[in-house]
Amino acid sequence: MSAITGIFYRDGRSVDSKMIKKMNDQLSHRGLDGSKTWFEGSVAFGHQMLHTTPESLQEELPFIDDETGLVITADARIDNRKELSELLEMENNKNVPDSLFIIRAYEKWGESCPENLLGDFAFAIWDPDKEQLFCARDHMGVKPFYYHLSDDGFFFATEMKALFTISDVPYELNELKVALYLMQEDTDKKLTFYKNIFCLTAARSLRISQNHNQLEKYWELDPLHQIILDSDEEYIQRFQDIFAEAIQCRLRSAFPIGFELSGGLDSSSVVCMAKDISKNVHSNLTNINTFSMIFNDFPQVDESYYIKSVTDACEANPQLIISDKISPLEKIESILWHQEQPFYTPNMAILCNMYKTMKEDNIRIVLGGNGGDETVSHGKNYLRDLATSMQWKKLIREINGYSKRVNIGIFNLIIKEVLIPLTPIFLKNFYHEIVPFLIMKRSENKCFILNKEFVRSIDFECNNNSYFNQNKTIKTAKEAHYFDINNISNQSTMEMIDKIVSEFSIEPRYPFFDKRLVEFSYAIPTEMKFRFGWNRYIQRMAMDNILPKEVQWRPLKKFFNPVYEKNLLLFENNILKKIFCHENLMIKEYVDIEMIKEFYKEYNSGRGDIVSNRYIWLVTLLDLWLNESINKKKINLVNERRA
């Protein structure tokens, strides 16, 4: 959770040392253990250091390699150090930082080096011989990397706020991103809320020279990859081994480690597997410190029973954080400063409260269960697969098991999970034409919330748009799994959490987003992901005798929607009234103001549904962010253009 910054003037002018220092200082909150810059000619790097691993205690960045002249700045944890040490003929001990492994990998493999690295990383290397800059981001997009590129210069940073200290970098609202945000269809991973500020997306590298730039995807999941083993036991054992290794390599720390524990299958699996690993004589994990949010006033979402089952079984040191009475907008100015742009989750304030507790307990590393749903898979579309392949016996078995697990009638499940998905597109379209307009708007037309003039002004075509029709071609369970793994929400969630925890000097790590676990889970047969009506089947079986039974075979998990829906209205109705009951010229530019006012009336009276209540949150946050964070003069210029 360190920070990196950089400047490369492609037109050859020299960097002013004050500029890179100004960029670096803007990210001082991310590195309490040191700040350093390097500059030479037209290139400059910066780094804010937060020590996490034992090797980082000896690390100093930016680093200049005397032998090759290569210069690196990096926010990285490399997990395959042992294998790399053999391939690169270098020592693997606490005196060798991870950044040196990256430098040596670049020496050996050049621009192919990220393919050979495992772990979480974002780095930039200046190659003086080639007079080029090489940047890369890890396979799953855990470490953030933002940049601005023009003919004259290239500027990058861990957070966008550092870029805006440079006069060459524009500061202008990206209205296409606003539209996609309001439609909840953020499928373009590189876009930000600022024009010409881009995100280097997961598994990408970027090569920049004076006259050329090349963006490449160095890794992607093979959609056709299959792993066929001889027995269920082999699949289960292999999953368990890979999962254990994914956790083991993320336990490398020079500081106390914390575990997020929600009581769900994924976070509980991480905690219990870590406890199992700690029994090994070579493990340096002595304490299992868990942090859990509990909701005494919301029994419908409270997970205390499952949390206690795990902490008792693991003999953990539990921190139970009461989170009932926290407004979704608590400390929103600070949260928006760190986040830099609107976000989807209304649970940010309660997450901040949990990370604050971790900091008070001197936690610097936290492991969580994020990514379990996407990596292991719920086996979506498996019932349809069985129907189309006429495997009737299996289909009946799975429908029966599924019905018992979710307590839904067999007939309703057949309609929902088999018949409707198999209905031809032209019949679905006909149905949508004859249903009531409002129902159609809320369920299918993602543009219904937008101001029609705004849609026309950005020349955005709502129907059949490539931004949000990608999942309509999905037919099989394997295709659904591929889509879930590559979903932008994974990268966006990790970027969001990275910015939350930066305030508290904590580094988040995600065992379920280990590349090896992702590749294995995707390639195994769907029957190992969904069996006897149970989703996540292979994970449940792999955690046998490790996870408490009541957690291992939980049929469903709980969601926080009732908490934010009640607390937003309870604590912040004055703000909501200002936004939705007055003539809000700023929001009016982007949303159908009459429709959103109607949604507010429904929400305020307790008649709102999940769809309308969700839009209340999105529009509220957008309004607050526009007022707090955007250059109003430039927004006014946009409005004048429309007028």
Side-chain angles (χ1 to χ4, degrees):
M1 209 286 301
S2 298
I4 61 175
T5 54
I7 299 171
F8 174 31
Y9 280 124
R10 305 175 75 192
D11 57 10
R13 65 189 136 133
S14 296
V15 175
D16 183 343
S17 61
K18 294 179 182 177
M19 293 174 64
I20 189 63
K21 187 177 186 310
K22 193 174 181 180
M23 286 183 73
N24 218 43
D25 289 347
Q26 190 70 4
L27 304 185
S28 60
H29 58 284
R30 297 185 64 95
L32 304 181
D33 298 316
S35 177
K36 185 183 175 185
T37 60
W38 165 88
F39 59 96
E40 186 175 285
S42 59
V43 186
F45 285 169
H47 192 270
Q48 292 287 345
M49 175 66 75
L50 181 73
H51 292 147
T52 53
T53 65
E55 296 80 8
S56 70
L57 301 176
Q58 312 299 323
E59 191 168 32
E60 190 172 292
L61 290 165
F63 170 75
I64 305 100
D65 185 39
D66 293 334
E67 294 181 12
T68 63
L70 297 172
V71 187
I72 185 172
T73 188
D75 179 16
R77 188 198 70 255
I78 302 302
D79 292 336
N80 58 332
R81 288 169 56 102
K82 182 179 178 181
E83 295 83 358
L84 288 173
S85 67
E86 296 173 1
L87 292 170
L88 301 173
E89 299 179 349
M90 57 187 295
E91 292 185 2
N92 176 22
N93 58 54
K94 293 182 180 180
N95 295 318
V96 182
D98 289 354
S99 55
L100 190 58
F101 277 92
I102 300 174
I103 280 277
R104 296 291 177 255
Y106 179 81
E107 284 183 64
K108 184 176 180 65
W109 295 298
E111 293 156 25
S112 299
C113 70
E115 301 171 30
N116 298 281
L117 303 175
L118 283 178
D120 305 333
F121 53 81
F123 66 82
I125 294 175
W126 172 246
D127 189 330
D129 292 337
K130 295 181 180 179
E131 294 188 332
Q132 73 173 26
L133 194 63
F134 179 73
C135 312
R137 188 176 181 183
D138 61 75
H139 299 78
M140 301 306 296
V142 174
K143 298 292 187 179
F145 189 107
Y146 298 97
Y147 68 91
H148 169 70
L149 173 65
S150 70
D151 291 340
D152 297 332
F154 175 73
F155 311 89
F156 69 86
T158 300
E159 294 181 13
M160 291 180 282
K161 56 178 64 71
L163 300 176
F164 296 131
T165 65
I166 304 296
S167 60
D168 301 67
V169 176
Y171 188 69
E172 188 175 351
L173 181 64
N174 182 355
E175 294 188 318
L176 172 59
K177 183 72 171 181
V178 173
L180 293 172
Y181 167 78
L182 289 170
M183 293 189 301
Q184 302 177 69
E185 290 289 354
D186 266 358
T187 51
D188 192 327
K189 298 181 183 181
K190 68 179 182 297
L191 292 182
T192 73
F193 276 80
Y194 303 93
K195 278 188 178 180
N196 298 311
I197 304 295
F198 298 103
C199 177
L200 182 62
T201 55
R204 263 68 170 188
S205 63
L206 183 57
R207 175 165 49 90
I208 307 288
S209 62
Q210 282 191 336
N211 302 311
H212 184 72
N213 56 274
Q214 182 68 45
L215 179 67
E216 292 189 355
K217 190 172 187 178
Y218 64 81
W219 172 84
E220 63 181 331
L221 197 60
D222 180 359
L224 302 178
H225 186 38
Q226 295 184 48
I227 293 175
I228 305 298
L229 302 177
D230 292 335
S231 66
D232 290 358
E233 290 73 23
E234 283 191 67
Y235 287 113
I236 293 166
Q237 187 60 55
R238 183 82 64 85
F239 179 93
Q240 189 183 86
D241 292 343
I242 297 172
F243 184 49
E245 178 59 29
I247 294 173
Q248 174 73 69
C249 66
R250 286 165 176 77
L251 296 177
R252 183 163 56 104
S253 175
F255 299 90
I257 297 174
F259 295 86
E260 291 185 43
L261 177 60
S262 69
L265 179 63
D266 296 325
S267 63
S268 299
S269 294
V270 172
V271 171
C272 290
M273 183 61 82
K275 176 62 177 180
D276 201 60
I277 290 170
S278 72
K279 297 173 184 177
N280 188 305
V281 293
H282 300 294
S283 173
N284 62 351
L285 183 66
T286 55
N287 296 311
I288 303 293
N289 305 298
T290 63
F291 297 82
S292 307
M293 297 178 287
I294 60 173
F295 301 89
N296 296 330
D297 296 341
F298 295 88
Q300 68 271 43
V301 306
D302 188 62
E303 301 271 36
S304 297
Y305 169 74
Y306 297 106
I307 291 166
K308 189 175 187 304
S309 296
V310 173
T311 56
D312 286 352
C314 294
E315 300 177 326
N317 303 321
Q319 276 275 22
L320 302 178
I321 304 160
I322 299 174
S323 306
D324 299 285
K325 296 178 173 61
I326 298 176
S327 163
L329 298 181
E330 186 172 303
K331 299 181 179 178
I332 191 61
E333 293 84 3
S334 173
I335 290 173
L336 284 172
W337 184 85
H338 283 282
Q339 289 299 313
E340 306 181 296
Q341 51 189 357
F343 46 88
Y344 286 116
T345 177
N347 302 315
M348 189 74 75
I350 60 177
L351 288 173
C352 285
N353 189 51
M354 179 177 65
Y355 293 127
K356 178 175 177 287
T357 304
M358 289 184 189
K359 182 177 176 63
E360 291 168 353
D361 282 4
N362 299 313
I363 299 297
R364 274 210 186 184
I365 305 297
V366 61
L367 274 66
N370 301 66
D373 288 339
E374 296 81 4
T375 293
V376 184
S377 172
H378 285 274
K380 288 187 295 187
N381 290 9
Y382 182 49
L383 301 181
R384 186 167 87 171
D385 288 359
L386 295 176
T388 56
S389 60
M390 294 184 287
Q391 298 182 63
W392 308 119
K393 187 176 180 179
K394 279 188 178 181
L395 178 61
I396 292 170
R397 181 192 75 186
E398 297 301 338
I399 286 284
N400 279 327
Y402 193 13
S403 174
K404 293 174 183 177
R405 178 170 68 87
V406 300
N407 196 27
I408 297 177
I410 291 174
F411 181 69
N412 288 336
L413 281 178
I414 290 173
I415 292 175
K416 178 183 176 183
E417 302 292 345
V418 180
L419 296 181
I420 291 178
L422 288 175
T423 302
I425 292 294
F426 76 91
L427 288 179
K428 289 181 181 178
N429 291 338
F430 176 73
Y431 169 76
H432 291 145
E433 289 176 4
I434 63 174
V435 295
F437 178 61
L438 186 58
I439 295 176
M440 183 277 288
K441 288 193 302 182
R442 292 193 183 188
S443 62
E444 290 295 319
N445 182 3
K446 296 298 184 76
C447 280
F448 78 93
I449 192 68
L450 300 181
N451 180 313
K452 293 180 178 58
E453 290 298 322
F454 169 52
V455 172
R456 281 192 286 269
S457 73
I458 61 173
D459 195 26
F460 188 76
E461 185 179 345
C462 292
N463 298 318
N464 301 315
N465 195 286
S466 61
Y467 280 110
F468 53 89
N469 281 324
Q470 296 177 14
N471 62 346
K472 289 188 177 180
T473 60
I474 293 173
K475 296 179 181 179
T476 69
K478 197 170 182 70
E479 289 173 349
H481 194 181
Y482 187 86
F483 180 83
D484 285 345
I485 290 173
N486 288 282
N487 196 326
I488 185 176
S489 65
N490 303 331
Q491 178 182 297
S492 299
T493 298
M494 287 185 285
E495 290 170 350
M496 179 192 72
I497 293 176
D498 182 271
K499 293 175 183 178
I500 300 175
V501 297
S502 69
E503 180 179 357
F504 307 103
S505 301
I506 295 172
E507 178 177 277
R509 297 177 181 176
Y510 310 100
F512 280 103
F513 280 132
D514 187 287
K515 172 177 172 284
R516 296 161 293 189
L517 189 63
V518 169
E519 290 177 330
F520 176 79
S521 299
Y522 174 73
I524 62 177
T526 303
E527 191 172 7
M528 293 305 302
K529 308 166 193 177
F530 194 104
R531 178 89 67 92
F532 306 120
W534 288 94
N535 59 11
R536 321 290 298 285
Y537 177 76
I538 191 171
Q539 180 182 343
R540 296 178 194 270
M541 292 300 295
M543 295 305 295
D544 198 35
N545 296 320
I546 299 174
L547 201 60
K549 295 293 184 186
E550 57 269 33
V551 179
Q552 181 186 5
W553 297 106
R554 284 192 64 176
L556 297 168
K557 63 182 177 182
K558 300 176 182 179
F559 297 94
F560 291 163
N561 289 37
V563 180
Y564 95 80
E565 288 177 355
K566 179 181 178 181
N567 285 351
L568 183 62
L569 195 61
L570 178 65
F571 294 111
E572 308 295 354
N573 205 18
N574 287 337
I575 291 178
L576 299 183
K577 286 178 181 177
K578 289 180 182 178
I579 296 173
F580 299 111
C581 297
H582 297 88
E583 191 67 13
N584 192 321
L585 296 178
M586 190 173 294
I587 285 297
K588 188 177 180 180
E589 289 291 325
Y590 304 112
V591 302
D592 184 326
I593 200 69
E594 295 307 316
M595 181 169 289
I596 201 66
K597 283 182 177 180
E598 186 62 32
F599 283 174
Y600 172 68
K601 289 179 184 177
E602 293 176 5
Y603 174 55
N604 197 34
S605 65
R607 294 183 292 107
D609 59 23
I610 292 176
V611 174
S612 60
N613 290 352
R614 180 68 168 168
Y615 281 115
I616 294 298
W617 167 255
L618 296 177
V619 173
T620 297
L621 193 65
L622 179 63
D623 178 82
L624 293 172
W625 178 74
L626 287 170
N627 281 288
E628 287 287 334
S629 305
I630 290 293
N631 185 318
K632 295 181 177 59
K633 181 179 180 182
K634 292 192 176 182
I635 289 178
N636 290 335
L637 289 174
V638 172
N639 295 339
E640 289 169 10
R641 170 177 54 78
R642 290 202 192 120

